[in-house]
């Protein structure tokens, strides 16, 4: 996915969500794993002019087997996660599980559906993986 497509990705957000996109702040980023490990300078750069994406209840955020270059962090609301065995799990934004990305690979291994209206931070995987290779 090109960088321009990443920034336009929010266009798939449905306007019927009761949530409004929120500005992403350094304070929000410092609660998310592993993003919080980045330097303050990188966190500030990442937060600049970035907003969350909002999706209405029942929206499929991604499906098992799809490829993507974004990590999805749940900021508000509740999602249902389905694995390949057909088991469903709920994750609420106010739980420790939401501090980790809903997905963090190039190919999704789960299907995630918004149970309620949700606010999501989409992060290019490269941004937080670059910490490991120290080339960013």
């Amino acid at each position: 996915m090109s960088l321009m497509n990443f920034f336009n990705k929010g266009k798939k957000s449905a306007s019927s969500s009761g949530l409004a996109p929120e500005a992403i702040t350094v304070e929000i980023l410092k609660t998310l794993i592993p993003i919080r490990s980045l330097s303050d300078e990188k966190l500030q750069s990442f937060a600049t002019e970035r907003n969350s994406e909002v999706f209405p209840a029942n929206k499929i955020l991604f499906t098992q087997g799809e490829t993507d270059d974004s990590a999805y962090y749940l900021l508000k609301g509740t999602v249902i996660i389905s694995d390949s065995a057909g088991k469903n799990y709920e994750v609420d934004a106010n739980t420790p599980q939401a501090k980790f990305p809903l997905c963090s690979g190039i190919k999704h291994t789960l299907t995630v559906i918004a149970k309620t209206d949700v606010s999501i931070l989409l992060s290019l995987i490269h941004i937080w993986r670059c910490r490991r290779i120290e080339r960013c």
Side-chain angles (χ1 to χ4, degrees), residues 49-69:
E49 299 182 25
R50 186 173 308 264
N51 292 313
S52 66
E53 303 289 336
V54 294
F55 300 93
N58 301 313
K59 173 76 174 171
I60 297 173
L61 302 181
F62 54 84
T63 304
Q64 181 180 6
E66 289 180 337
T67 58
D68 200 342
D69 60 359

Side-chain angles (χ1 to χ4, degrees), residues 34 62 70-73 101-108 125 128-129:
F62 54 84
S70 296
Y72 291 62
Y73 286 92
L102 296 171
C103 69
S104 58
I106 299 300
K107 188 172 186 179
H108 297 299
I125 293 172
W128 53 269
R129 283 193 178 161

Side-chain angles (χ1 to χ4, degrees), residues 110-124:
L110 304 165
T111 296
V112 176
I113 302 170
K115 180 178 181 182
T116 65
D117 291 349
V118 295
S119 179
I120 302 286
L121 168 62
L122 295 176
S123 165
L124 286 175

Side-chain angles (χ1 to χ4, degrees), residues 14-31:
S15 60
S16 60
S17 173
L19 297 175
E22 61 184 297
I24 300 300
T25 64
V26 171
E27 290 74 29
I28 291 172
L29 296 175
K30 284 186 175 184
T31 68

